[in-house]
Amino acid sequence: MTNEQYQEKIQILKKWAYAYYVVDNPIATDEEYDKLYHEVLDYETANPSEVAEDSPTKRVGGVVRDEFSKAKHIKRMWSMEDVFTTNEVQEWLDRTVKNVGDCTYFCEPKFDGASMNLLYEDGKLVRAITRGDGAVGEEVTDNVRTIRSVPLSIEYEGLIEIRGEVVIRKDDFEAINKERLEEGEQSFANPRNAAAGSLRQLDSSVTAKRRLVFYPWGLGENSLEESKLSEKMDFVYELGFLEPPHAQECNGIEEIEAFYHNLISLRDEIPMIMDGMVIKVDEVNLQEDLGYTVKVPKWMCAYKFPAVEKVTKVNAITLQVGRTGVITPVAEVEPVEVEGAIIARATLHNFDEIERKGLMIGDSVILIRSGDVIPKITKVLDDRRDGSEVEIIRPTECPTCGSEVLDEGTLIKCQNLDCPDRVVNSIIHFAKKGCMNIDGLGSKIVEILVKEHKIEDILGLYHLKFEDLEGLEGFKEKRISKLLQAIADTKGVPLYRLISAMGIEHIGEVASKSLALEFGLSIVDATLEEIVAIDGLGEEMANSLLEFMRVNYDFVLKLFEEIQPTVEEKVEAVENPFKDKTVVLTGSMSVSRGIVKEMLEKLGAKVSGSVSKKTDYVIYGEDAGSKLTKAESLGVNTLTEDEMREML
């Protein structure tokens, strides 16, 4: 066989595989495919230096890794806001229309799997990264190469990130579990766990056997010029990616509701597990105008399917102590299957809820679960009682440390700062992504360190030595070194991250940034009046911060001394035409609007996403839309980008 014949046979194999795995319309028999496949494989074995990058033989895996490395997404992978009712969808639509006017919505199924980002460079698949925390994920390229519905090469020059969901079809999931049981292995709880677990196999040949499927739903980095997301996705499907079984352009609540209920009626027919429908603003320029919150894009949401209800029995109540000392009751129920997941516990939030529901141990209850939502009890079936039920008593002492609790009515709190559960949960929160991001310090390791008295609080992390960890279960030399280095790397972090990591009730990342900028290290001595004067911070947040600093004053100062956080200087903007003005940006500019926004904020302007009578200036670029029209109708000053720069 010549190299030219080899290349021709590869193209035939790729065509047959595409028809089988993507189009679901085979154009060759299994026997024909296998015969040609082995001819190609024999040539590659004899000529290893001539193996094509996109050869179908690379789909079988075989790469074995020691561990997964971290990789950055070029553009952030966001999660979505969840909505559950027609009213909540209408509220989301009202907010959207208020900010950008009427628009078209692109709706498609939300498959329940593992999110994936595929990076192609000059037509070649160069990297596959899991979502991770949205900024950094795990690099699983060798495993993703085994997924038949992921093209190894595409007709596209430059960089493009194609985002989507890795799923397992329902019938394949059942077949995999049957095989696992026959081999004496534990079955997967649901298709989503199976997909995620299959992607994280260190041996890629295991992934190759798992029948994974990739459905694209969006883009990260790209230079496509289409004005609508749906048009961009049409281009992606033309590159050889799977198209969702149903998708629709909708205008307004009536069309959205009709398509939503149509998808629900097709729930059993569609071969993948769906947990809802995704609604996206289709016009790309309006997506940019709407922008993002700290957590989610404002231009898309997940309209979750109705919760599935099951009847089960409450066998016991377990008490959990959180990092702030709040004691949460959890119902231990008779295990019941809900949409492929075995549910054995349900949250009860607080003891007031138990009393409101009239719940007793031994009661039959209705339990619901919707997608990712924690299972909860919605109704007590008290007509099924037989007299053996036992009343649930409010605790008077902490279930972990035995100290007397503070009963505030709705909340019951353990006040003991040395309570082991409070210590463990506060350290877990401190170490997690978005806080101090201590890689390798998971909940199990924290529990071991506290149980073995290696650390007694957050500060103890910074006094750990190699010999403290040597000999502990699961701690090998490489792991110990990596953990100690990860802890050391947190020194000098921005102050707002340290404040957020302390776990102060009601104080999240946004509030932490405002507090760090306003007070710096003097936050320990901030007063109520000073805190509530900050835009966005109310009295409840202020009181929570003051109480935390009162109880932990010396401890926080020791943390500051140990970690030496970086304090951002609050720079007073010089006098300029935009200082203290409210500005709205719209249209395409010479640089990204994010850069313009940052520049204006440094000048002391407040950059808003919507136009109102309080807006001082609307600065517009090419293809400006409804915001410019609204500004003109309200008599708001409008400036071109060039006029803005002339004023500066």
Side-chain angles (χ1 to χ4, degrees):
M1 188 193 305
T2 65
N3 183 267
E4 190 177 339
Q5 289 171 321
Y6 162 69
Q7 293 291 344
E8 286 174 3
K9 289 184 178 184
I10 278 182
Q11 295 310 313
I12 295 168
L13 275 181
K14 285 169 65 178
K15 185 179 176 182
W16 287 355
Y18 182 79
Y20 183 87
Y21 291 104
V22 179
V23 183
D24 199 19
N25 184 23
I27 55 175
T29 65
D30 289 351
E31 186 181 1
E32 286 175 311
Y33 184 90
D34 290 341
K35 183 174 181 291
L36 190 60
Y37 181 92
H38 282 97
E39 286 176 21
V40 166
L41 189 60
D42 290 344
Y43 179 84
E44 290 177 346
T45 304
N47 304 277
S49 63
E50 296 180 27
V51 178
E53 187 65 30
D54 57 350
S55 169
T57 61
K58 295 202 168 188
R59 301 285 196 182
V60 297
V63 177
V64 180
R65 303 168 70 143
D66 293 328
E67 58 184 23
F68 292 108
S69 56
K70 304 288 184 184
K72 283 186 177 182
H73 304 297
I74 298 176
K75 287 192 174 174
R76 184 179 180 86
M77 278 188 85
W78 297 86
S79 52
M80 280 184 286
E81 177 184 353
D82 289 336
V83 292
F84 296 90
T85 65
T86 307
N87 286 342
E88 288 178 1
V89 176
Q90 187 63 65
E91 286 171 11
W92 183 84
L93 293 172
D94 290 344
R95 285 201 306 271
T96 303
V97 172
K98 181 182 176 184
N99 284 307
V100 296
D102 292 330
C103 49
T104 305
Y105 303 94
F106 177 57
C107 301
E108 61 184 343
K110 181 180 180 296
F111 295 135
D112 198 14
S115 294
M116 182 61 56
N117 185 26
L118 306 179
L119 175 62
Y120 289 84
E121 188 170 359
D122 293 328
K124 302 293 182 189
L125 174 65
V126 293
R127 189 166 286 168
I129 314 168
T130 62
R131 184 201 294 275
D133 64 359
V136 177
E138 287 184 316
E139 195 260 299
V140 290
T141 314
D142 296 323
N143 291 352
V144 168
R145 283 180 180 276
T146 70
I147 301 174
R148 300 281 182 165
S149 50
V150 172
L152 300 178
S153 60
I154 58 174
E155 290 185 22
Y156 184 89
E157 292 183 6
L159 286 176
I160 187 169
E161 289 179 309
I162 296 173
R163 273 88 191 262
E165 207 75 4
V166 174
V167 298
I168 288 182
R169 293 188 169 106
K170 288 180 271 193
D171 53 353
D172 286 334
F173 170 70
E174 288 167 10
I176 289 168
N177 266 352
K178 187 179 177 184
E179 288 170 14
R180 288 175 70 83
L181 289 171
E182 286 170 358
E183 292 167 9
E185 296 179 352
Q186 189 176 351
S187 60
F188 287 113
N190 52 53
R192 178 209 229 171
N193 286 7
S198 300
L199 281 171
R200 298 198 76 260
Q201 293 294 321
L202 293 173
D203 182 349
S204 61
S205 63
V206 177
T207 310
K209 297 172 186 173
R210 291 281 171 82
R211 308 178 182 105
L212 299 175
V213 181
F214 177 78
Y215 275 95
W217 44 245
L219 294 157
E221 176 67 24
N222 73 91
S223 56
L224 299 177
E225 294 179 356
E226 289 84 353
S227 61
K228 289 187 173 185
L229 176 61
S230 56
E231 293 168 352
K232 291 190 178 193
M233 294 310 297
D234 285 340
F235 174 79
V236 170
Y237 306 140
E238 287 169 11
L239 292 174
F241 288 90
L242 277 170
E243 194 169 348
H246 300 275
Q248 188 170 306
E249 194 175 274
C250 295
N251 291 290
I253 190 71
E254 290 82 7
E255 291 182 16
I256 287 171
E257 279 292 310
F259 184 56
Y260 174 74
H261 288 288
N262 183 43
L263 280 182
I264 291 173
S265 71
L266 297 167
R267 208 170 180 178
D268 293 334
E269 293 175 29
I270 291 176
M272 286 70 63
I273 291 278
M274 292 188 298
D275 60 349
M277 177 179 89
V278 182
I279 308 170
K280 304 172 188 172
V281 171
D282 204 9
E283 293 90 341
V284 175
N285 66 320
L286 297 185
Q287 291 178 2
E288 291 170 358
D289 285 352
L290 284 161
Y292 304 81
T293 67
V294 174
K295 296 179 180 177
V296 298
K298 294 179 184 177
W299 49 268
M300 67 189 295
C301 68
Y303 189 3
K304 290 301 193 77
F305 285 161
V308 176
E309 296 186 338
K310 288 288 179 81
V311 174
T312 186
K313 195 173 186 178
V314 176
N315 292 329
I317 298 294
T318 301
L319 303 177
Q320 292 182 339
V321 184
R323 69 176 189 273
T324 60
V326 173
I327 297 172
T328 305
V330 176
E332 307 287 343
V333 301
E334 288 281 353
V336 60
E337 185 181 331
V338 184
E339 289 190 307
I342 303 298
I343 306 300
R345 314 182 89 203
T347 181
L348 288 163
H349 300 295
N350 54 59
F351 281 88
D352 276 9
E353 185 178 343
I354 291 174
E355 289 164 18
R356 226 175 13 252
K357 286 187 166 80
L359 179 66
M360 299 177 76
I361 295 170
D363 270 334
S364 291
V365 296
I366 293 177
L367 178 143
I368 71 162
R369 176 177 180 265
S370 175
D372 298 335
V373 177
I374 299 166
K376 62 182 179 181
I377 290 166
T378 57
K379 186 175 178 62
V380 176
L381 303 172
D382 51 18
D383 59 322
R384 303 190 189 188
R385 287 177 178 163
D386 60 13
S388 63
E389 292 76 23
V390 178
E391 187 183 352
I392 299 167
I393 308 297
R394 295 173 76 96
T396 55
E397 59 181 44
C398 174
T400 304
C401 66
S403 62
E404 189 177 338
V405 299
L406 172 67
D407 193 331
E408 296 180 337
T410 304
L411 298 180
I412 298 177
K413 291 182 177 179
C414 169
Q415 296 287 79
N416 179 14
L417 287 172
D418 296 323
C419 174
D421 274 1
R422 288 194 67 173
V423 171
V424 166
N425 287 315
S426 64
I427 296 171
I428 291 170
H429 175 81
F430 184 82
K432 75 179 186 181
K433 288 174 181 173
C435 293
M436 300 298 272
N437 195 16
I438 304 177
D439 195 26
L441 190 63
S443 55
K444 296 293 180 196
I445 293 176
V446 173
E447 286 169 11
I448 291 169
L449 293 175
V450 173
K451 184 182 175 184
E452 297 293 330
H453 302 291
K454 300 297 181 183
I455 53 174
E456 293 179 355
D457 53 31
I458 292 163
L459 207 53
L461 290 170
Y462 296 90
H463 302 148
L464 281 172
K465 299 182 179 66
F466 190 93
E467 52 268 28
D468 293 330
L469 305 175
E470 216 170 6
L472 288 179
E473 184 186 347
F475 282 87
K476 294 180 180 175
E477 186 176 337
K478 187 178 177 183
R479 190 177 190 182
I480 295 171
S481 299
K482 283 181 75 174
L483 177 58
L484 292 177
Q485 187 59 51
I487 293 169
D489 287 346
T490 64
K491 294 197 174 186
V493 298
L495 175 60
Y496 81 86
R497 276 181 53 194
L498 178 55
I499 295 170
S500 186
M502 289 180 195
I504 307 166
E505 212 161 358
H506 309 304
I507 305 294
E509 185 181 327
V510 175
S512 297
K513 283 183 176 178
S514 300
L515 290 163
L517 198 59
E518 183 67 33
F519 299 115
L521 299 182
S522 302
I523 188 173
V524 290
D525 297 312
T527 65
L528 178 68
E529 293 74 22
E530 289 171 332
I531 298 167
V532 295
I534 300 173
D535 188 29
L537 268 75
E539 206 161 305
E540 186 179 27
M541 296 168 86
N543 284 326
S544 180
L545 176 65
L546 292 170
E547 172 66 8
F548 183 88
M549 291 303 173
R550 183 185 67 77
V551 174
N552 301 289
Y553 188 88
D554 293 337
F555 181 77
V556 172
L557 289 179
K558 286 178 186 174
L559 267 182
F560 286 168
E561 189 178 340
E562 185 70 51
I563 295 170
Q564 296 290 307
T566 304
V567 180
E568 188 180 345
E569 292 289 327
K570 188 178 182 183
V571 180
E572 184 66 29
V574 295
E575 285 304 320
N576 68 82
F578 298 104
K579 185 179 179 183
D580 300 325
K581 302 294 184 187
T582 300
V583 178
V584 173
L585 304 175
T586 185
S588 302
M589 299 188 177
S590 61
V591 292
S592 81
R593 287 216 303 270
I595 293 172
V596 179
K597 178 175 183 282
E598 192 176 338
M599 176 190 76
L600 287 166
E601 285 176 340
K602 284 180 178 175
L603 293 169
K606 180 185 176 185
V607 181
S608 174
S610 58
V611 180
S612 71
K613 289 179 180 177
K614 294 182 180 178
T615 306
D616 294 298
Y617 293 106
V618 168
I619 301 167
Y620 64 95
E622 291 180 19
D623 302 321
S626 57
K627 289 183 182 178
L628 180 59
T629 308
K630 187 173 181 181
E632 288 168 345
S633 69
L634 292 173
V636 172
N637 289 322
T638 60
L639 301 169
T640 64
E641 182 188 357
D642 289 341
E643 286 171 338
M644 170 199 74
R645 294 186 185 281
E646 282 172 21
M647 286 173 68
L648 293 170

